[in-house]
Amino acid sequence: EQRKHQEIRAMRSQLKKIEDLGAAMEEALILDNKYTEHSTVGLAQQWDQLDQLGMRMQHNLEQQIQARNTTGVTEEALKEFSMMFKHFDKDKSGRLNHQEFKSCLRSLGYDLPMVEEGEPDPEFESILDTVDPNRDGHVSLQEYMAFMISRETENVKSSEEIESAFRALSSEGKPYVTKEELYQNLTREQADYCISHMKPYMDGKGRELPSAYDYIEFTRSLFVN
């Protein structure tokens, strides 16, 4: 991205040559060039737009790299967020309208209720309070990525907290919890739920330990998207 942006900046000298030629033509009173539909002003505007786009994309990438390094959000998750945004940004405007944004969230696994047009949608409205507080009707890539990263970071923190709680139940902080430990420390309903949803724990040689359950895999599966 940085290399491509530098290439665009390097082309500024070519634009300068065109501007000098345009000025020379104006001095010679040649005001109509039948060989091109472009004008020097139009080309300069297009170059500026391309330069601004390059800077914005670079800024977004830097934010994503920083997020990956500081929040624990994986590179795969960031790529998925970005790809999903691009998929729903049909006109390549760099922003989604509210309907596109809702479809994007659903595709990422958000369980948003289906509501009739014009009906209240408090769950989605609370999300819009974060990403589009002034309700201009659009969510930019930057706003969307910040929202997804903050949600994912909350999930990572919650996942770690629950994992730590299970580790505390397990004697000597083992990577598995036994049936007895679950029933001793949780309500019967909670223990029943854990046992019916946790996978049996497999040791390093792929052997199943009797009455041992993999709480790490279980916890992480709760926080997928």
Side-chain angles (χ1 to χ4, degrees), residues 35-111:
Y35 296 104
T36 179
E37 63 198 34
H38 298 289
S39 69
T40 50
V41 173
L43 287 172
Q45 285 175 339
Q46 285 178 24
W47 184 88
D48 281 338
Q49 285 169 358
L50 200 55
D51 185 45
Q52 291 289 323
L53 179 64
M55 283 197 292
R56 278 204 308 274
M57 288 176 75
Q58 211 167 303
H59 178 63
N60 281 334
L61 279 172
E62 282 165 4
Q63 275 195 323
Q64 290 176 40
I65 290 166
Q66 191 180 359
R68 182 195 65 197
N69 294 341
T70 59
T71 64
V73 181
T74 66
E75 196 161 357
E76 289 72 24
L78 290 169
K79 270 185 194 163
E80 186 185 10
F81 300 157
S82 183
M83 279 169 56
M84 203 59 81
F85 182 96
K86 285 171 186 166
H87 173 73
F88 285 97
D89 181 19
K90 305 291 186 196
D91 59 358
K92 307 290 176 249
S93 64
R95 55 191 203 166
L96 302 179
N97 64 37
H98 288 174
Q99 203 50 50
E100 289 167 337
F101 176 53
K102 187 186 272 189
S103 300
C104 183
L105 291 180
R106 283 206 177 107
S107 296
L108 286 164
Y110 277 73
D111 185 21

